[in-house]
Protein backbone atom coordinates (compact mmCIF):
# COMPACT_ATOMS: atom_id res chain seq x y z
CA UNK A 1 0.00 0.00 0.00
CA UNK A 2 1.42 3.46 -0.90
CA UNK A 3 2.42 5.75 1.90
CA UNK A 4 0.32 8.70 3.05
CA UNK A 5 2.80 11.14 1.57
CA UNK A 6 2.70 9.49 -1.86
CA UNK A 7 -1.09 9.49 -2.00
CA UNK A 8 -1.24 13.11 -0.83
CA UNK A 9 1.22 14.18 -3.55
CA UNK A 10 -0.86 12.38 -6.16
CA UNK A 11 -4.01 14.15 -4.99
CA UNK A 12 -2.28 17.53 -5.21
CA UNK A 13 -1.00 16.74 -8.72
CA UNK A 14 -4.44 15.67 -9.96
CA UNK A 15 -5.98 18.84 -8.49
CA UNK A 16 -3.49 20.98 -10.42
CA UNK A 17 -4.28 19.05 -13.60
CA UNK A 18 -7.98 19.63 -12.96
CA UNK A 19 -7.38 23.38 -12.75
CA UNK A 20 -5.60 23.31 -16.13
CA UNK A 21 -8.29 21.26 -17.88
CA UNK A 22 -11.04 23.43 -16.43
CA UNK A 23 -9.29 26.60 -17.62
CA UNK A 24 -8.78 25.12 -21.10
CA UNK A 25 -12.44 24.16 -21.21
CA UNK A 26 -13.45 27.74 -20.43
CA UNK A 27 -11.08 29.13 -23.09
CA UNK A 28 -12.41 26.69 -25.70
CA UNK A 29 -15.99 27.61 -24.79
CA UNK A 30 -15.24 31.31 -25.20
CA UNK A 31 -13.54 30.84 -28.57
CA UNK A 32 -16.26 28.49 -29.74
CA UNK A 33 -18.87 31.23 -29.56
CA UNK A 34 -16.96 33.49 -31.93
CA UNK A 35 -16.05 30.68 -34.34
CA UNK A 36 -19.58 29.34 -34.40
CA UNK A 37 -20.96 32.81 -35.05
CA UNK A 38 -18.61 33.33 -38.01
CA UNK A 39 -19.46 29.90 -39.41
CA UNK A 40 -23.22 30.39 -39.04
CA UNK A 41 -22.98 33.82 -40.67
CA UNK A 42 -21.09 32.50 -43.70
CA UNK A 43 -23.26 29.44 -44.38
CA UNK A 44 -26.17 31.36 -45.98
CA UNK A 45 -23.73 33.20 -48.26
CA UNK A 46 -22.13 29.93 -49.40
CA UNK A 47 -25.52 28.35 -50.05
CA UNK A 48 -26.80 31.36 -52.01
CA UNK A 49 -23.54 31.52 -53.94
CA UNK A 50 -23.98 27.90 -55.02
CA UNK A 51 -27.57 28.63 -56.04
CA UNK A 52 -26.57 31.57 -58.26
CA UNK A 53 -23.66 29.59 -59.69
CA UNK A 54 -25.97 26.71 -60.58
CA UNK A 55 -28.28 29.08 -62.42
CA UNK A 56 -25.39 30.60 -64.37
CA UNK A 57 -23.93 27.19 -65.22
CA UNK A 58 -27.28 26.09 -66.60
CA UNK A 59 -27.58 29.19 -68.79
CA UNK A 60 -23.95 29.07 -69.94
CA UNK A 61 -24.18 25.51 -71.17
CA UNK A 62 -22.63 23.40 -68.41
CA UNK A 63 -19.22 21.78 -68.60
CA UNK A 64 -18.19 23.21 -71.98
CA UNK A 65 -18.13 26.76 -70.62
CA UNK A 66 -15.06 26.48 -68.38
CA UNK A 67 -11.99 24.21 -67.95
CA UNK A 68 -12.63 24.24 -64.20
CA UNK A 69 -15.76 22.17 -64.83
CA UNK A 70 -14.16 19.66 -67.20
CA UNK A 71 -12.75 16.45 -65.64
CA UNK A 72 -9.34 15.25 -66.80
CA UNK A 73 -9.31 12.22 -69.07
CA UNK A 74 -6.82 10.42 -66.82
CA UNK A 75 -6.28 11.13 -63.13
CA UNK A 76 -2.64 10.61 -62.12
CA UNK A 77 -2.01 13.48 -59.68
CA UNK A 78 -4.36 14.12 -56.76
CA UNK A 79 -3.90 17.01 -54.37
CA UNK A 80 -5.57 17.12 -50.94
CA UNK A 81 -6.09 20.22 -48.80
CA UNK A 82 -5.90 18.82 -45.28
CA UNK A 83 -7.37 21.01 -42.52
CA UNK A 84 -6.30 20.08 -38.99
CA UNK A 85 -5.45 21.93 -35.79
CA UNK A 86 -2.12 23.32 -34.62
CA UNK A 87 -2.53 21.99 -31.09
CA UNK A 88 -3.59 18.74 -29.48
CA UNK A 89 -5.73 18.04 -26.41
CA UNK A 90 -8.90 17.84 -28.53
CA UNK A 91 -9.66 14.12 -28.37
CA UNK A 92 -9.67 12.24 -31.65
CA UNK A 93 -10.27 15.34 -33.76
CA UNK A 94 -7.00 15.23 -35.73
CA UNK A 95 -6.78 11.44 -35.85
CA UNK A 96 -10.22 11.23 -37.46
CA UNK A 97 -9.15 13.66 -40.19
CA UNK A 98 -5.87 11.89 -40.96
CA UNK A 99 -7.63 8.50 -40.94
CA UNK A 100 -10.10 9.87 -43.47
CA UNK A 101 -7.22 10.87 -45.74
CA UNK A 102 -5.57 7.49 -45.24
CA UNK A 103 -8.75 5.58 -46.16
CA UNK A 104 -9.35 7.80 -49.19
CA UNK A 105 -5.88 7.06 -50.55
CA UNK A 106 -6.22 3.37 -49.77
CA UNK A 107 -9.59 3.09 -51.53
CA UNK A 108 -8.35 4.56 -54.82
CA UNK A 109 -8.49 1.92 -57.56
CA UNK A 110 -5.32 3.10 -59.34
CA UNK A 111 -2.03 2.33 -57.62
CA UNK A 112 0.14 4.71 -59.67
CA UNK A 113 -1.55 7.92 -58.52
CA UNK A 114 0.70 10.60 -57.04
CA UNK A 115 -0.59 12.36 -53.93
CA UNK A 116 0.41 15.73 -52.56
CA UNK A 117 -0.93 17.91 -49.76
CA UNK A 118 -1.60 21.47 -48.72
CA UNK A 119 -1.65 21.46 -44.94
CA UNK A 120 -3.56 23.83 -42.67
CA UNK A 121 -2.29 23.05 -39.17
CA UNK A 122 0.76 21.43 -37.61
CA UNK A 123 -0.92 18.10 -36.93
CA UNK A 124 -1.69 17.51 -40.60
CA UNK A 125 1.79 18.64 -41.61
CA UNK A 126 3.43 16.27 -39.14
CA UNK A 127 1.28 13.40 -40.36
CA UNK A 128 2.21 14.05 -44.00
CA UNK A 129 5.90 14.16 -43.09
CA UNK A 130 5.58 10.89 -41.20
CA UNK A 131 3.87 9.26 -44.19
CA UNK A 132 6.43 10.81 -46.60
CA UNK A 133 3.81 12.61 -48.71
CA UNK A 134 4.96 15.72 -50.64
CA UNK A 135 3.74 18.98 -49.06
CA UNK A 136 3.14 21.74 -51.57
CA UNK A 137 2.20 24.42 -49.04
CA UNK A 138 1.80 24.79 -45.29
CA UNK A 139 -0.35 27.29 -43.37
CA UNK A 140 0.12 27.44 -39.61
CA UNK A 141 -1.76 29.47 -37.02
CA UNK A 142 -4.93 29.67 -39.13
CA UNK A 143 -7.33 27.01 -37.84
CA UNK A 144 -8.54 27.81 -34.34
CA UNK A 145 -7.85 31.54 -34.62
CA UNK A 146 -9.41 34.51 -36.37
CA UNK A 147 -8.69 34.70 -40.08
CA UNK A 148 -10.07 36.48 -43.11
CA UNK A 149 -11.29 35.45 -46.53
CA UNK A 150 -7.94 36.39 -48.06
CA UNK A 151 -6.40 33.26 -46.50
CA UNK A 152 -8.68 30.98 -48.51
CA UNK A 153 -8.41 33.20 -51.60
CA UNK A 154 -4.61 33.11 -51.61
CA UNK A 155 -4.41 29.34 -51.14
CA UNK A 156 -7.30 28.75 -53.56
CA UNK A 157 -5.69 30.81 -56.33
CA UNK A 158 -2.59 28.61 -56.20
CA UNK A 159 -4.76 25.51 -56.47
CA UNK A 160 -6.71 26.89 -59.45
CA UNK A 161 -3.52 27.87 -61.27
CA UNK A 162 -1.94 24.49 -60.59
CA UNK A 163 -5.05 22.69 -61.85
CA UNK A 164 -5.16 24.74 -65.03
CA UNK A 165 -1.48 24.20 -65.87
CA UNK A 166 -1.77 20.44 -65.30
CA UNK A 167 0.13 20.14 -62.01
CA UNK A 168 -2.93 18.54 -60.40
CA UNK A 169 -5.62 16.44 -62.04
CA UNK A 170 -7.99 16.59 -59.07
CA UNK A 171 -8.10 18.66 -55.88
CA UNK A 172 -9.97 17.65 -52.73
CA UNK A 173 -10.73 19.49 -49.51
CA UNK A 174 -10.67 17.46 -46.29
CA UNK A 175 -12.17 19.27 -43.30
CA UNK A 176 -14.27 18.62 -40.21
CA UNK A 177 -17.91 19.54 -40.68
CA UNK A 178 -19.62 20.88 -37.57
CA UNK A 179 -23.08 19.45 -36.84
CA UNK A 180 -23.39 19.85 -33.08
CA UNK A 181 -21.32 20.14 -29.92
CA UNK A 182 -20.90 16.38 -29.80
CA UNK A 183 -20.72 15.60 -33.51
CA UNK A 184 -18.01 16.75 -35.91
CA UNK A 185 -17.69 14.64 -39.06
CA UNK A 186 -14.56 14.48 -41.28
CA UNK A 187 -15.74 15.45 -44.77
CA UNK A 188 -14.01 15.03 -48.11
CA UNK A 189 -15.18 17.43 -50.81
CA UNK A 190 -13.98 17.68 -54.39
CA UNK A 191 -12.84 21.20 -55.24
CA UNK A 192 -11.42 20.77 -58.75
CA UNK A 193 -12.71 19.99 -61.25
CA UNK A 194 -15.81 21.59 -59.79
CA UNK A 195 -18.48 18.86 -59.44
CA UNK A 196 -21.71 19.20 -61.43
CA UNK A 197 -23.47 22.20 -59.94
CA UNK A 198 -27.06 21.65 -58.94
CA UNK A 199 -29.23 23.27 -61.56
CA UNK A 200 -32.19 25.45 -60.74
CA UNK A 201 -34.56 22.76 -62.01
CA UNK A 202 -33.19 20.27 -59.50
CA UNK A 203 -33.28 22.87 -56.76
CA UNK A 204 -36.92 23.55 -57.59
CA UNK A 205 -37.75 19.89 -57.13
CA UNK A 206 -35.69 19.20 -54.03
CA UNK A 207 -35.17 22.55 -52.33
CA UNK A 208 -37.26 25.08 -50.52
CA UNK A 209 -38.69 26.40 -53.80
CA UNK A 210 -40.90 23.30 -53.99
CA UNK A 211 -42.83 24.52 -50.98
CA UNK A 212 -43.79 27.92 -52.33
CA UNK A 213 -43.36 27.41 -56.09
CA UNK A 214 -41.09 30.46 -56.42
CA UNK A 215 -37.78 30.26 -58.28
CA UNK A 216 -35.49 33.27 -58.50
CA UNK A 217 -34.55 34.39 -62.02
CA UNK A 218 -31.11 35.97 -62.24
CA UNK A 219 -30.59 38.72 -64.80
CA UNK A 220 -27.03 38.43 -66.11
CA UNK A 221 -24.94 41.39 -67.17
CA UNK A 222 -22.54 40.66 -68.86
CA UNK A 223 -23.28 37.22 -70.33
CA UNK A 224 -23.63 34.11 -68.12
CA UNK A 225 -20.45 32.63 -69.63
CA UNK A 226 -18.36 35.68 -68.66
CA UNK A 227 -19.81 35.76 -65.17
CA UNK A 228 -19.23 32.05 -64.78
CA UNK A 229 -15.58 32.43 -65.72
CA UNK A 230 -15.16 34.94 -62.88
CA UNK A 231 -17.30 33.15 -60.30
CA UNK A 232 -16.01 29.60 -60.69
CA UNK A 233 -12.59 30.34 -59.15
CA UNK A 234 -14.34 32.30 -56.42
CA UNK A 235 -16.44 29.22 -55.70
CA UNK A 236 -13.23 27.39 -54.83
CA UNK A 237 -12.28 30.19 -52.43
CA UNK A 238 -15.74 30.16 -50.86
CA UNK A 239 -15.70 26.39 -50.30
CA UNK A 240 -12.21 26.55 -48.79
CA UNK A 241 -13.16 29.39 -46.48
CA UNK A 242 -16.26 27.54 -45.36
CA UNK A 243 -14.20 24.40 -44.73
CA UNK A 244 -11.72 26.36 -42.60
CA UNK A 245 -14.54 27.92 -40.58
CA UNK A 246 -16.16 24.52 -40.05
CA UNK A 247 -12.85 22.99 -38.98
CA UNK A 248 -12.08 25.85 -36.60
CA UNK A 249 -15.48 25.53 -34.94
CA UNK A 250 -15.16 21.75 -34.75
CA UNK A 251 -11.74 22.02 -33.12
CA UNK A 252 -13.02 24.25 -30.32
CA UNK A 253 -16.04 21.99 -29.78
CA UNK A 254 -13.84 18.88 -29.68
CA UNK A 255 -11.39 20.49 -27.26
CA UNK A 256 -14.20 21.71 -25.02
CA UNK A 257 -15.66 18.21 -24.90
CA UNK A 258 -12.25 16.61 -24.31
CA UNK A 259 -11.37 19.00 -21.48
CA UNK A 260 -14.78 18.50 -19.90
CA UNK A 261 -14.24 14.73 -19.93
CA UNK A 262 -10.73 15.23 -18.54
CA UNK A 263 -12.09 17.37 -15.69
CA UNK A 264 -14.65 14.68 -14.84
CA UNK A 265 -11.90 12.06 -14.93
CA UNK A 266 -9.85 14.18 -12.52
CA UNK A 267 -12.79 14.38 -10.13
CA UNK A 268 -13.19 10.60 -10.22
CA UNK A 269 -9.46 10.13 -9.66
CA UNK A 270 -9.47 12.54 -6.73
CA UNK A 271 -12.35 10.60 -5.15
CA UNK A 272 -10.49 7.31 -5.54
CA UNK A 273 -7.24 8.75 -4.22
CA UNK A 274 -9.02 10.38 -1.30
CA UNK A 275 -10.56 7.02 -0.41
CA UNK A 276 -7.14 5.37 -0.67
CA UNK A 277 -5.65 8.14 1.48
CA UNK A 278 -8.30 7.66 4.17
CA UNK A 279 -7.73 3.90 4.15
CA UNK A 280 -3.98 4.35 4.43
CA UNK A 281 -4.39 6.85 7.26
CA UNK A 282 -6.82 4.57 9.07
CA UNK A 283 -4.40 1.67 8.65
CA UNK A 284 -1.56 3.81 10.06
CA UNK A 285 -3.70 4.89 13.02
CA UNK A 286 -4.74 1.29 13.71
CA UNK A 287 -1.13 0.16 13.56
CA UNK A 288 -0.08 2.87 16.02
CA UNK A 289 -2.91 1.96 18.40
CA UNK A 290 -1.93 -1.69 18.27
CA UNK A 291 1.66 -0.76 19.12
CA UNK A 292 0.51 1.41 22.05
CA UNK A 293 -1.86 -1.26 23.38
CA UNK A 294 0.78 -3.94 22.95
CA UNK A 295 3.35 -1.83 24.81
CA UNK A 296 0.90 -1.09 27.61
CA UNK A 297 0.06 -4.76 28.01
CA UNK A 298 3.72 -5.66 28.07
CA UNK A 299 4.41 -3.12 30.83
CA UNK A 300 1.41 -4.31 32.81
CA UNK A 301 2.46 -7.94 32.55
Amino acid sequence: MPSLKDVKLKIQGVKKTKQITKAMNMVATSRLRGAQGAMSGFRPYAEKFSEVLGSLAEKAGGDASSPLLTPKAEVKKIHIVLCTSDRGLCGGFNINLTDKAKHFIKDQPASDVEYSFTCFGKKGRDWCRKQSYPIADTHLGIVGSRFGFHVAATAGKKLVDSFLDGTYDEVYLLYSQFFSMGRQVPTLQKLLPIPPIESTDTAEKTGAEEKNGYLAEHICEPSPAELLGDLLPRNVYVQMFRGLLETSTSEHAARMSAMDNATKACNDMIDRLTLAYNKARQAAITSDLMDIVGGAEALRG
Side-chain angles (χ1 to χ4, degrees):
M1 181 177 291
S3 64
L4 288 175
K5 184 178 180 181
D6 293 338
V7 178
K8 193 171 184 179
L9 289 175
K10 286 184 180 180
I11 292 175
Q12 292 175 354
V14 174
K15 285 183 177 180
K16 292 179 180 179
T17 303
K18 177 185 173 182
Q19 292 177 350
I20 296 174
T21 57
K22 190 174 182 180
M24 293 185 67
N25 177 277
M26 296 175 65
V27 172
T29 303
S30 176
R31 292 181 176 178
L32 176 64
R33 295 193 187 100
Q36 191 173 6
M39 179 197 67
S40 301
F42 190 76
R43 273 180 176 175
Y45 173 81
E47 293 171 358
K48 180 60 68 174
F49 191 91
S50 298
E51 177 187 335
V52 174
L53 203 62
S55 176
L56 292 175
E58 184 181 10
K59 293 180 180 179
D63 294 351
S65 58
S66 173
L68 296 180
L69 294 169
T70 306
K72 298 294 180 67
E74 190 176 12
V75 178
K76 292 295 183 181
K77 292 171 286 187
I78 295 179
H79 189 76
I80 301 175
V81 181
L82 179 59
C83 301
T84 59
S85 67
D86 290 305
R87 299 176 298 157
L89 298 178
C90 48
F93 174 76
N94 294 302
I95 296 177
N96 293 335
L97 288 166
T98 54
D99 284 348
K100 182 74 173 180
K102 189 187 302 181
H103 293 323
F104 169 73
I105 295 173
K106 184 179 179 181
D107 294 341
Q108 292 300 309
S111 59
D112 57 345
V113 177
E114 299 177 6
Y115 297 94
S116 58
F117 284 81
T118 292
C119 298
F120 283 87
K122 291 181 181 179
K123 298 300 181 179
R125 180 200 63 183
D126 295 343
W127 178 82
C128 290
R129 287 178 176 176
K130 186 176 180 180
Q131 301 295 324
S132 301
Y133 287 120
I135 300 176
D137 202 1
T138 303
H139 303 272
L140 304 180
I142 303 298
V143 177
S145 62
R146 293 184 179 181
F147 54 90
F149 186 79
H150 67 280
V151 174
T154 302
K157 188 176 186 304
K158 294 180 181 178
L159 297 176
V160 171
D161 294 339
S162 299
F163 177 79
L164 293 177
D165 63 22
T167 304
Y168 309 136
D169 296 329
E170 287 183 349
V171 178
Y172 290 86
L173 174 65
L174 179 54
Y175 66 98
S176 180
Q177 187 171 2
F178 179 84
F179 286 96
S180 64
M181 300 299 297
R183 184 170 176 241
Q184 303 88 37
V185 180
T187 303
L188 188 70
Q189 178 183 354
K190 180 184 282 189
L191 285 180
L192 294 168
I194 297 175
I197 304 170
E198 186 180 16
S199 65
T200 52
D201 292 337
T202 307
E204 187 177 10
K205 294 177 183 178
T206 60
E209 291 84 355
E210 186 181 11
K211 298 179 181 179
N212 52 27
Y214 173 74
L215 181 64
E217 177 68 21
H218 302 101
I219 301 175
C220 302
E221 180 65 32
S223 65
E226 294 181 27
L227 287 176
L228 198 63
D230 182 67
L231 292 181
L232 283 176
R234 182 171 289 270
N235 179 64
V236 177
Y237 313 156
V238 168
Q239 299 306 322
M240 284 193 62
F241 188 61
R242 181 177 181 177
L244 290 173
L245 290 176
E246 297 269 356
T247 304
S248 184
T249 306
S250 298
E251 179 197 353
H252 293 313
R255 180 170 290 110
M256 187 184 72
S257 178
M259 292 300 100
D260 184 60
N261 293 333
T263 303
K264 292 179 180 178
C266 287
N267 289 329
D268 295 339
M269 191 176 297
I270 290 173
D271 293 340
R272 292 196 300 269
L273 289 173
T274 302
L275 182 61
Y277 177 80
N278 291 334
K279 288 182 178 179
R281 185 180 62 177
Q282 187 64 41
I285 294 173
T286 303
S287 178
D288 292 342
L289 287 175
M290 290 178 64
D291 291 341
I292 294 173
V293 172
E297 291 293 333
L299 291 173
R300 184 181 300 176

